[in-house]
Amino acid sequence: MVEAIALAHGWEMQHDVNVVVIGQDVGANGGVFRATAGLQERFGVDRVQDTPLAEATIAGMSVGMATHGLKPVAEIQFMGFLYPALDQIVNHMSRMRNRTRGRLSCPVVIRMPHGGGIHAPEHHSESTETMLCHIPGIRVVCPSSPARAYGLLLAAIRDPDPVMFLEPVRLYRAMRQEVNDDGRALPLDVCFILREGSDVTIVTWGAMTIETLRAATLLGERGISAEVIDLATLSPIDIETILASVAKTGRLVIVHEAARNVGVGAEIAALVAERGLYDLQAPIQRVAGFDTIMPLFKLEHDYIPGVQRIIDAVELTCAD
Amino acid sequence: MVEAIALAHGWEMQHDVNVVVIGQDVGANGGVFRATAGLQERFGVDRVQDTPLAEATIAGMSVGMATHGLKPVAEIQFMGFLYPALDQIVNHMSRMRNRTRGRLSCPVVIRMPHGGGIHAPEHHSESTETMLCHIPGIRVVCPSSPARAYGLLLAAIRDPDPVMFLEPVRLYRAMRQEVNDDGRALPLDVCFILREGSDVTIVTWGAMTIETLRAATLLGERGISAEVIDLATLSPIDIETILASVAKTGRLVIVHEAARNVGVGAEIAALVAERGLYDLQAPIQRVAGFDTIMPLFKLEHDYIPGVQRIIDAVELTCAD
Amino acid sequence: MKLVAEFKIHHRQVLGPGGDLVAALPEFARDSGEILRMYRAMTQVRVFDAKAVNLQRTGQLGTYPSCLGHEAAHIGIGAAMRAEDVLAPVYREFGTQLWRGVTMTEILTYWGGDECGNDFAVPRDDFAWCVPIATQTLHAAGAAMAFKVRKEPRCALAYIGDGGTSEGTFYEALNLAGARALPVVFVIVNNGWAISVPVAAQTAAQTLAQKAVAAGIPGVQVDGNDVFAVRDVVGEALERARRGGGPALIEALTYRLSDHTTADDASRYRCAQEVKDAWKVEPLLRIRSFLVNAGVWDDAKEQALLEECAVKVDAAVSEYLARPKPVTDAMFDHLFASLPAHLHEQRRLARKYASKPSGH
Amino acid sequence: MKLVAEFKIHHRQVLGPGGDLVAALPEFARDSGEILRMYRAMTQVRVFDAKAVNLQRTGQLGTYPSCLGHEAAHIGIGAAMRAEDVLAPVYREFGTQLWRGVTMTEILTYWGGDECGNDFAVPRDDFAWCVPIATQTLHAAGAAMAFKVRKEPRCALAYIGDGGTSEGTFYEALNLAGARALPVVFVIVNNGWAISVPVAAQTAAQTLAQKAVAAGIPGVQVDGNDVFAVRDVVGEALERARRGGGPALIEALTYRLSDHTTADDASRYRCAQEVKDAWKVEPLLRIRSFLVNAGVWDDAKEQALLEECAVKVDAAVSEYLARPKPVTDAMFDHLFASLPAHLHEQRRLARKYASKPSGH
Ligand SMILES: Cc1ncc(C[n+]2csc(CCOP(=O)(O)OP(=O)(O)O)c2C)c(N)n1
Ligand SMILES: Cc1ncc(C[n+]2csc(CCOP(=O)(O)OP(=O)(O)O)c2C)c(N)n1
Ligand SMILES: [Mg+2]
Ligand SMILES: [Mg+2]
């Protein structure tokens, strides 16, 4: 997936001189995951800038760059290092357009690795998308394949408003796929149905699509037909697609890596409990990270929901 | 309510020499809302300290103070200025005990004004409790009366782990009540049933208890008996009390001031949709702030849910 | 031990408290028309400010942060900037803003609780007021980065208070500006207080100008009650920045003659004598004395000016008070370039419960 | 312009690259037993470090941040501190930690993916490794505040990297420490690089020591490859702090001889010649030369020491490798002082899906 992300950067920088890449080690080093590899050589040090080691700086300078003619695409090295940038994101980036009644705006993309599962050090495996999704005025996007990473990143850069772009680290290298470098964006604000099914709807996103699709295959062998929906844009949520699916299947399981308590899964469950209650034939199930700190890597796969947990949750739902 | 908070500080500082109050303007000025009025005179400048104007400092120094023998009670001047402190809260305060396997811990309270409704300037009326509630390892508490502010603040200070203490600004002066300054704490992690009822359960917290109780009274006049539950501890959620109430009433309305999308109301709705689905006789309703930026004060009362919105939601639920 | 680096902080002053010259007049101040223009603007600010406080006291305005005593800093900076430069104010910099074209009506509209006040008709590219302390410094640096990348000969100027210099963001902005030689100037308005905290409790630094040393950029102190010195020092820094010479940090020493805001009561934490003393060196007094000494100003002119200012303020107040309450749609219509699907329903809901009929 | 403040940054060195004295020997270095103790510790660190890198390369350890080249800074600081002082390390300060009593097994346990490695048997009050850059500086300041309030005669010492000096948090910690005269010493290990970013791209400041000026506290540079100079300068700063003299900032100049971590490939961004040159001034070489010149060290002793170090490392590695995988309960049992009700169910669920039998 990491090559797809580099390609999307390259395409858009080629076609829009105002797109500028900033972040720690994005220049000569091409990013710690190589998502910006080769860009500085190609576009120069003004358009591909290593920033000082300061996340508030990355977000805050993005605001100033974006309000004054540029389209910054910023990398935060890991999601666990996003927090110093939140003040600028919440208090300014998300509300610049609103608070100036449209006079100034922030076409910014902030990209960051998301989640765990690659034996990384402490603080390198966070999935705190909730903190972003709750903030009005920004979009939160999380691709689940190289092709979707390419198309959604292009859409994010072209969007006139701020987009937080979460890149699942488990997919960076694990997932290889030929990507057509044709500059075609995918739509934001809509889900992708990865697998059609009739017995149960499973909504998930990012790296958890892997375990979920695997579970769906195994469930299929056992005679349970699961529809798998990739949320893709985590905020705002395309609830219509989900409701339509639940209307068809009557059952809903939500799978995410983030901690369960006030996770994005809660919002999906709440929306369905409000608007699709009478379609539900069984209680909604959430399969999520525990409400604990993401552990160091010896236990990370005991934290991240596995295929079996998903299967058990679906079977429980279908037993009802 | 503000006097009750000052009293709780005073009691605990008197009885525990390790309790130290820090924050901007908490000293000579007694806090911009006067919640620490008189404390510096009484306990001296070492135990009631004005900090430099820096929220990351307030949280980060609290971590160091707490791991090394003190119990800091810190004030963040408004919730909208909490964000620079989040890095320290999420990456350290919440996980110090866990990551050192109990060797070091953080008995810290961070107090902050919460919500709007008092004609305050921009950024002074935020209610982003979601961002805190999602974080494992911290408690989030929000009192709804002077007596509960007193008892819950004492409990928070005495708790061996970090507690975020959200003080609804609408209640600071609006609500007066004799508080018995007897040093008795109230329990954390449990809801308070403010009003018993049989037709519908309304869960709310903080200042929204006012509008909710008013709505409940009016609904009572129209023959609808509403049970009103004050969540009080927003994380972890005392779901058992809520489930028991929903089992009795069959209907649930959740009221909060914060934006709806991934609000704490979503978690409550999700838990009930998982564990109490068969008790529900009608879809769950959330009455919440809009998924927009909290507006400047000319429109703030068009943002904060009003009594009529609550009544309409309950009536809709009960009509089902 | 080997000496490896050395730094000096200087202080600039042109006018003494009595209007006397303590240094040579800068070029611009040889033109008495220009001086009068600055003095008139300073007076206009003060008249407006008093009225705004009064509006708050009478329930016609929200919390308001008076700029009483800051007029020389504000107008000196306004006059030093070019129209195409970009200002990143905090919340108190009404003087500079008025000079640059923000209207009194806009100021009142914002502080009266309506975001429309941020939609300046002029200057379109300036940042809006910035309440979260110090965050604006990075916006200015970012705008300067945009000017640099886009090769536009413009500068950004960010204000910050003495208290604001304690926020990490401030140092990050200085450091970024230094590391990338950005065309941005930072001005600390050191008015002695951050709400109730005096500057000596905020930092052990003897001067705030020396904070520049941490970023390897020039730092200088200026008498912030001396409009000549401020304009001179800021103008110099802007010109250097515009020529590619990189950023600068300027500490303007002044005093907050008012409460922190109308919600504050400074008598709780600061002594009356200090305020009394500060009035002796306040900024209008000294330039007025200079003008009187130079024979270009007198009581009659002063009286006329005050009346003229009051008329303008009254007109702005009337315009402000006549503005209708914003409609609830305003909460939604500027959130994104186009409203996402899920918000249409909420927009309808907001209309339904609008606290007063709002035109829908 | 009036001069209002002036600052000087000095650089301290005792040993030249060849082990020659360029300044008078500090008191402690008159005792060759003490010097040997430091040299042995430095050697132990280097032997351990090489082994840890090797364990990672062979899949027996997670990502590991080598401290190759930092031994003089680490041991100089370790030796300057007292046992009751508190260390706030970043992630690379294995030398100081070993000196203070952290075991090699604990280090490997943590970097092997198990929080138990943070539960140091000794020193109980030290902070654990700190990955979020610069955040530890505020912890040190906070601990120092606790010492001050509780009137304990202890100091805190925080490490930070050259890259780390760009984070706002770092300046906030300096400023707090200065404003409250806290007993804390900050040491910048300037090893030239922050992953791929050289220090010149990080800041326009000529020295990092001068960042102290922003906080009004003393700042000094020291040759970070010179264990005598480091111990001397840090010891002095700690003693002053302990006596109530307030904080200090020390910049130790050294070089990162390794990749940033085992996940990094430095050849992508830095030239081989630079690394080669740095090996000529590396820290072990010069103290070994000094000891040889002084006639207290020779090849045989060196050989014996290396073997002794290897034996200790091997023992620690065996102990580390023998540790069982942590049980899933470990995710829950230290989250709070006592587990809240709602987590009991999740703890059971975790046991059920434990990826390997974990003792339940
Ligand atoms: C991040 C943040 N923290 C706290 C506040 C509350 N606050 C508003 S003004 C102020 C003091 C600012 O002092 P200073 O920077 O000296 O500016 P002045 O008001 O004197 O112009 C504080 C603490 C805020 N607006 N933003
Ligand atoms: C807040 C934060 N941002 C980014 C990172 C990723 N990161 C880890 S080490 C490092 C470079 C640190 O450089 P420096 O401070 O010079 O220390 P050194 O590694 O050279 O010892 C970066 C960017 C991090 N750990 N924390
Ligand atoms: Mg001030
Ligand atoms: Mg470094």
Side-chain angles (χ1 to χ4, degrees):
Chain A
M1 172 188 281
V2 77
E3 297 83 2
I5 291 166
L7 280 181
H9 278 98
W11 176 282
E12 204 57 15
M13 293 190 79
Q14 189 70 47
H15 290 80
D16 184 345
V17 293
N18 287 318
V19 174
V20 169
V21 170
I22 63 172
Q24 293 156 18
D25 305 291
V26 297
N29 200 33
V32 289
F33 283 107
R34 320 274 307 133
T36 57
L39 295 178
Q40 193 177 62
E41 276 189 335
R42 202 166 143 204
F43 298 105
V45 291
D46 259 10
R47 293 188 62 202
V48 184
Q49 300 191 9
D50 281 331
T51 59
L53 205 177
E55 289 73 16
T57 290
I58 293 174
M61 75 189 279
S62 291
V63 169
M65 291 164 78
T67 49
H68 289 80
L70 298 178
K71 293 186 184 173
V73 180
E75 178 174 295
I76 294 287
Q77 213 157 58
F78 284 90
M79 192 161 195
F81 310 137
L82 175 69
Y83 309 121
L86 279 175
D87 186 28
Q88 289 286 350
I89 295 171
V90 178
N91 273 335
H92 291 294
M93 202 179 284
S94 70
R95 59 180 84 184
M96 185 63 77
R97 182 188 291 278
N98 182 68
R99 67 188 292 270
T100 62
R101 290 299 180 244
R103 183 168 62 85
L104 301 172
S105 64
C106 283
V108 177
V109 176
I110 302 190
R111 301 171 37 246
M112 67 204 87
H114 172 261
I118 57 163
H119 269 212
E122 199 176 359
H123 299 283
H124 284 66
S125 305
E126 308 290 297
S127 48
T128 38
E129 58 263 31
T130 278
M131 298 177 80
L132 296 171
C133 291
H134 184 60
I135 305 308
I138 56 176
R139 283 185 165 76
V140 184
V141 173
C142 182
S144 65
S145 76
R148 277 185 293 279
Y150 180 84
L152 290 171
L153 181 53
L154 284 179
I157 302 175
R158 291 173 194 168
D159 194 86
D161 291 301
V163 178
M164 306 291 120
F165 198 80
L166 315 185
E167 302 172 355
V169 292
R170 292 215 293 293
L171 305 185
Y172 267 144
R173 308 209 177 282
M175 220 187 192
R176 290 185 184 272
Q177 182 183 43
E178 255 333 297
V179 166
N180 205 352
D181 188 15
D182 57 2
R184 287 248 196 96
L186 285 167
L188 302 177
D189 298 4
V190 299
C191 298
F192 296 93
I193 297 178
L194 301 187
R195 185 185 200 277
E196 305 216 357
S198 53
D199 295 331
V200 60
T201 301
I202 316 183
V203 177
T204 187
W205 54 91
M208 290 309 302
T209 52
I210 306 300
E211 284 82 1
T212 303
L213 286 169
R214 225 173 273 153
T217 304
L218 293 169
L219 285 160
E221 290 165 12
R222 301 184 201 183
I224 295 178
S225 163
E227 178 142 310
V228 176
I229 297 181
D230 172 11
L231 192 61
T233 298
L234 314 190
S235 179
I237 290 173
D238 169 16
I239 193 64
E240 305 303 332
T241 302
I242 296 170
L243 286 170
S245 177
V246 172
K248 178 173 74 174
T249 64
R251 294 179 155 83
L252 175 62
V253 174
I254 303 157
V255 179
H256 60 70
E257 180 170 330
R260 191 182 69 166
N261 189 38
V262 203
V264 174
E267 180 63 29
I268 298 168
L271 286 168
V272 173
E274 284 161 9
R275 298 182 48 195
L277 187 76
Y278 297 121
D279 291 323
L280 284 176
Q281 289 162 37
I284 297 171
Q285 296 272 342
R286 283 180 290 165
V287 179
F290 300 115
D291 293 322
T292 61
I293 313 294
M294 175 67 164
L296 289 191
F297 67 78
K298 281 250 168 78
L299 284 175
E300 67 178 339
H301 286 288
D302 293 275
Y303 181 91
I304 300 171
V307 174
Q308 194 56 47
R309 257 182 85 193
I310 300 169
I311 289 175
D312 289 356
V314 170
E315 289 190 331
L316 193 68
T317 305
C318 291
D320 246 306
Chain B
M1 173 187 281
V2 76
E3 298 82 3
I5 291 165
L7 280 181
H9 278 97
W11 177 283
E12 204 58 17
M13 293 189 79
Q14 188 71 47
H15 290 83
D16 184 344
V17 294
N18 288 318
V19 174
V20 168
V21 170
I22 63 172
Q24 294 156 19
D25 306 292
V26 297
N29 200 32
V32 288
F33 282 108
R34 320 278 303 135
T36 57
L39 294 177
Q40 193 177 62
E41 276 188 336
R42 201 166 144 203
F43 299 106
V45 292
D46 259 10
R47 291 188 62 203
V48 183
Q49 299 191 9
D50 281 331
T51 59
L53 205 177
E55 288 74 15
T57 290
I58 293 173
M61 75 188 279
S62 291
V63 168
M65 291 164 78
T67 51
H68 289 80
L70 297 178
K71 293 187 185 173
V73 181
E75 177 174 297
I76 294 287
Q77 212 157 58
F78 283 90
M79 191 159 195
F81 310 137
L82 175 69
Y83 310 122
L86 279 175
D87 186 28
Q88 290 285 349
I89 295 171
V90 177
N91 273 335
H92 292 294
M93 202 179 284
S94 70
R95 58 180 85 184
M96 185 62 77
R97 181 188 292 278
N98 181 68
R99 67 189 292 270
T100 63
R101 291 297 179 245
R103 182 169 63 84
L104 300 172
S105 63
C106 284
V108 177
V109 176
I110 302 190
R111 301 170 37 247
M112 68 205 86
H114 171 263
I118 58 162
H119 268 210
E122 198 176 358
H123 299 282
H124 284 65
S125 305
E126 309 290 297
S127 48
T128 38
E129 58 264 30
T130 278
M131 298 177 79
L132 296 171
C133 291
H134 184 60
I135 306 307
I138 56 176
R139 283 185 165 77
V140 184
V141 173
C142 182
S144 66
S145 75
R148 278 185 294 278
Y150 180 85
L152 290 171
L153 182 53
L154 284 178
I157 302 176
R158 291 171 194 169
D159 194 86
D161 291 302
V163 178
M164 305 292 120
F165 198 80
L166 316 185
E167 301 171 356
V169 292
R170 292 216 292 294
L171 305 185
Y172 267 144
R173 308 208 179 283
M175 220 184 191
R176 292 186 183 272
Q177 182 182 44
E178 256 331 299
V179 166
N180 204 352
D181 188 15
D182 57 3
R184 288 250 195 93
L186 284 167
L188 301 178
D189 297 4
V190 299
C191 298
F192 297 93
I193 298 178
L194 302 187
R195 186 186 200 277
E196 305 217 356
S198 52
D199 296 330
V200 59
T201 300
I202 316 183
V203 177
T204 188
W205 54 91
M208 290 309 303
T209 52
I210 305 301
E211 283 82 2
T212 302
L213 286 170
R214 225 173 273 152
T217 304
L218 293 169
L219 285 160
E221 290 166 12
R222 301 184 199 184
I224 295 177
S225 163
E227 178 142 307
V228 176
I229 297 181
D230 172 10
L231 192 61
T233 298
L234 315 190
S235 179
I237 290 172
D238 169 17
I239 193 64
E240 304 305 332
T241 301
I242 296 170
L243 286 170
S245 177
V246 172
K248 178 173 74 174
T249 64
R251 293 179 158 84
L252 175 62
V253 174
I254 303 156
V255 179
H256 60 71
E257 181 170 329
R260 191 181 70 166
N261 189 41
V262 204
V264 174
E267 180 63 30
I268 298 168
L271 286 168
V272 172
E274 283 162 10
R275 298 181 48 195
L277 186 76
Y278 298 121
D279 290 323
L280 284 176
Q281 289 162 36
I284 297 170
Q285 296 274 341
R286 283 180 290 164
V287 179
F290 300 115
D291 293 322
T292 61
I293 313 295
M294 176 65 161
L296 290 191
F297 67 79
K298 279 250 168 79
L299 283 175
E300 67 179 338
H301 286 289
D302 292 275
Y303 181 91
I304 301 170
V307 173
Q308 192 58 46
R309 257 182 86 191
I310 301 170
I311 290 175
D312 289 355
V314 170
E315 290 189 332
L316 193 69
T317 305
C318 292
D320 244 305
Chain C
M1 296 225 278
K2 198 168 68 190
L3 181 69
V4 287
E6 203 169 353
F7 308 94
K8 292 189 164 74
I9 303 297
H10 290 95
H11 177 278
R12 178 118 173 82
Q13 189 185 13
V14 175
L15 276 184
D20 46 311
L21 278 181
V22 303
L25 267 190
E27 186 60 35
F28 66 82
R30 309 246 161 97
D31 172 359
S32 71
E34 186 64 14
I35 304 183
L36 279 172
R37 196 161 76 101
M38 293 194 286
Y39 177 62
R40 287 172 174 279
M42 290 166 70
T43 306
Q44 181 71 66
V45 177
R46 185 161 291 182
V47 172
F48 167 75
D49 190 72
K51 181 68 180 186
V53 170
N54 186 267
L55 285 172
Q56 192 282 333
R57 300 276 184 243
T58 53
Q60 294 166 289
L61 194 69
T63 304
Y64 172 81
S66 166
C67 65
L68 187 65
H70 298 60
E71 299 86 352
H74 290 183
I75 298 302
I77 290 168
M81 290 178 74
R82 293 198 192 160
E84 68 268 26
D85 292 340
V86 160
L87 179 72
V90 195
Y91 37 74
R92 214 188 272 292
E93 289 70 27
F94 307 119
T96 313
Q97 295 182 302
L98 288 170
W99 183 281
R100 290 179 60 71
V102 176
T103 67
M104 291 185 271
T105 308
E106 285 164 344
I107 298 172
L108 294 171
T109 300
Y110 175 80
W111 294 97
D114 180 352
E115 288 84 351
C116 283
N118 275 332
D119 188 14
F120 311 149
V122 173
R124 295 297 289 169
D125 282 2
D126 276 11
F127 289 99
W129 290 283
C130 185
V131 170
I133 298 288
T135 52
Q136 73 283 355
T137 56
L138 282 171
H139 306 164
M145 179 67 88
F147 301 153
K148 194 178 177 198
V149 171
R150 291 161 59 94
K151 306 205 183 347
E152 299 175 8
R154 305 163 75 185
C155 294
L157 184 142
Y159 268 103
I160 187 159
D162 45 293
T165 66
S166 292
E167 290 278 4
T169 289
F170 163 67
Y171 300 93
E172 291 194 10
L174 291 189
N175 191 56
L176 171 69
R180 301 292 173 266
L182 300 178
V184 56
V185 172
F186 302 96
V187 180
I188 303 169
V189 177
N190 181 351
N191 62 9
W193 293 88
I195 309 186
S196 73
V197 180
V199 68
Q202 202 70 245
T203 185
Q206 307 91 308
T207 70
L208 300 181
Q210 77 198 49
K211 294 189 180 255
V213 173
I217 68 175
V220 61
Q221 249 187 5
V222 63
D223 184 330
N225 290 344
D226 174 351
V227 70
F228 291 172
V230 171
R231 178 165 170 176
D232 193 40
V233 165
V234 174
E236 229 172 79
L238 283 169
E239 280 321 305
R240 187 177 55 236
R242 209 183 306 282
R243 288 195 314 267
L249 175 66
I250 295 162
E251 176 188 12
L253 287 161
T254 181
Y255 192 81
R256 196 191 79 205
L257 291 169
S258 63
D259 291 334
H260 168 67
T261 65
T262 50
D264 177 51
D265 173 6
S267 71
R268 273 212 291 264
Y269 53 77
R270 89 182 169 182
C271 73
Q273 188 56 46
E274 182 181 304
V275 184
K276 228 168 153 182
D277 290 345
W279 272 104
K280 294 184 197 140
V281 295
E282 68 95 2
L284 265 72
L285 187 62
R286 77 173 71 175
I287 179 171
R288 195 187 312 122
S289 306
F290 175 83
L291 289 168
V292 170
N293 293 347
V296 296
W297 201 249
D298 57 30
D299 282 0
K301 285 182 174 151
E302 178 74 14
Q303 210 40 52
L305 172 60
L306 289 174
E307 273 159 35
E308 192 186 308
C309 291
V311 167
K312 285 190 190 146
V313 168
D314 287 345
V317 170
S318 300
E319 199 183 344
Y320 157 65
L321 292 174
R323 286 186 69 103
K325 178 177 180 244
V327 297
T328 57
D329 277 22
M331 290 194 276
F332 297 90
D333 291 349
H334 306 282
L335 193 60
F336 292 101
S338 61
L339 198 69
H342 75 295
L343 283 174
H344 285 95
E345 192 195 322
Q346 293 193 15
R347 186 169 60 179
R348 271 194 301 275
L349 201 64
R351 283 180 201 156
K352 181 169 166 198
Y353 292 102
S355 53
K356 292 231 183 90
S358 56
H360 289 278
Chain D
M1 295 225 277
K2 200 169 66 189
L3 181 68
V4 287
E6 203 169 353
F7 308 95
K8 291 190 163 76
I9 302 297
H10 290 96
H11 177 278
R12 177 119 172 84
Q13 189 185 14
V14 175
L15 277 183
D20 47 311
L21 279 181
V22 302
L25 267 189
E27 186 59 35
F28 66 82
R30 310 246 161 95
D31 171 358
S32 72
E34 187 64 13
I35 304 182
L36 279 171
R37 196 159 77 99
M38 291 194 287
Y39 177 63
R40 288 172 175 281
M42 288 166 72
T43 306
Q44 181 71 66
V45 177
R46 185 162 292 184
V47 172
F48 168 75
D49 191 73
K51 182 68 180 185
V53 171
N54 187 266
L55 286 172
Q56 193 283 333
R57 300 275 185 243
T58 54
Q60 294 167 289
L61 193 69
T63 304
Y64 172 81
S66 165
C67 65
L68 187 65
H70 300 58
E71 299 86 353
H74 290 182
I75 298 302
I77 290 168
M81 291 178 73
R82 293 199 192 159
E84 69 269 25
D85 291 341
V86 160
L87 179 72
V90 194
Y91 38 74
R92 215 189 271 293
E93 289 70 26
F94 307 120
T96 313
Q97 295 183 302
L98 288 170
W99 183 280
R100 289 179 60 71
V102 176
T103 68
M104 291 183 273
T105 308
E106 285 164 343
I107 298 172
L108 295 171
T109 301
Y110 175 80
W111 295 96
D114 180 352
E115 288 84 351
C116 283
N118 275 333
D119 189 13
F120 312 148
V122 172
R124 295 297 288 169
D125 283 1
D126 276 12
F127 289 98
W129 290 283
C130 185
V131 170
I133 299 289
T135 52
Q136 73 283 354
T137 56
L138 282 171
H139 306 164
M145 179 66 86
F147 303 153
K148 195 179 176 197
V149 171
R150 291 160 59 94
K151 305 201 183 350
E152 299 174 8
R154 306 163 75 184
C155 294
L157 185 142
Y159 268 104
I160 187 158
D162 45 295
T165 66
S166 291
E167 289 278 4
T169 289
F170 163 67
Y171 301 93
E172 290 194 10
L174 292 190
N175 192 56
L176 171 69
R180 301 291 174 264
L182 300 178
V184 56
V185 172
F186 303 96
V187 181
I188 303 169
V189 177
N190 181 352
N191 62 9
W193 293 87
I195 309 186
S196 72
V197 180
V199 68
Q202 202 69 244
T203 185
Q206 306 92 310
T207 71
L208 300 181
Q210 77 199 51
K211 293 189 181 257
V213 173
I217 68 175
V220 62
Q221 249 187 6
V222 63
D223 184 330
N225 290 344
D226 174 350
V227 69
F228 291 172
V230 171
R231 177 165 170 176
D232 193 40
V233 165
V234 174
E236 229 173 78
L238 284 169
E239 280 322 305
R240 187 177 56 236
R242 210 182 306 281
R243 287 195 314 269
L249 175 67
I250 295 162
E251 177 188 9
L253 287 161
T254 180
Y255 192 81
R256 197 191 78 205
L257 291 168
S258 63
D259 291 334
H260 169 66
T261 65
T262 51
D264 177 51
D265 174 6
S267 72
R268 272 212 292 264
Y269 53 78
R270 90 184 168 180
C271 73
Q273 189 56 47
E274 183 182 303
V275 184
K276 225 167 155 181
D277 290 346
W279 272 105
K280 294 183 196 141
V281 293
E282 70 94 0
L284 265 73
L285 187 61
R286 76 173 73 175
I287 178 170
R288 193 186 315 122
S289 307
F290 176 83
L291 288 168
V292 170
N293 294 347
V296 297
W297 201 251
D298 58 30
D299 282 358
K301 285 182 174 151
E302 178 74 13
Q303 211 40 53
L305 172 60
L306 288 173
E307 274 160 34
E308 191 185 307
C309 290
V311 167
K312 286 190 190 146
V313 168
D314 288 344
V317 170
S318 301
E319 197 182 345
Y320 158 65
L321 292 174
R323 286 185 68 101
K325 178 177 180 244
V327 298
T328 56
D329 277 22
M331 290 194 276
F332 296 89
D333 292 348
H334 305 282
L335 194 60
F336 293 101
S338 63
L339 198 68
H342 75 295
L343 283 173
H344 285 96
E345 192 195 322
Q346 293 193 14
R347 185 168 61 179
R348 272 194 301 275
L349 200 65
R351 284 180 201 157
K352 180 170 165 199
Y353 292 102
S355 54
K356 291 231 182 92
S358 56
H360 289 280

